[in-house]
Amino acid sequence: MSIELQTAEYSEEALTLLAKALVPEIIDFYNSEFGKKYYEKWLKAHPEYQDEKMIA
């Protein structure tokens, strides 16, 4: 049994529009109290991503 992966190609314009829609929402999430707690918990589970400069 073989599984074929298919990739979709999107225009740069479509990707830019998606980024413009999502990035502000992501920033708002991580600036919220819930988002900050979520990120702290995530960093504890993934210490390889911790950067000493970012730890307050």
Side-chain angles (χ1 to χ4, degrees):
M1 182 173 182
S2 175
I3 298 175
E4 261 185 64
L5 296 177
Q6 296 179 357
T7 60
E9 294 199 21
Y10 298 98
S11 69
E12 186 172 338
E13 179 183 14
L15 294 174
T16 299
L17 290 171
L18 181 62
K20 285 182 178 182
L22 291 178
V23 168
E25 297 296 323
I26 293 168
I27 290 170
D28 288 346
F29 172 77
Y30 283 104
N31 283 331
S32 72
E33 287 303 312
F34 179 81
K36 289 175 185 177
K37 289 177 184 175
Y38 178 87
Y39 184 63
E40 287 176 24
K41 183 179 175 183
W42 184 87
L43 275 179
K44 287 179 184 174
H46 302 279
E48 66 273 17
Y49 292 102
Q50 286 188 359
D51 183 345
E52 291 179 20
K53 296 177 218 163
M54 295 178 67
I55 299 173

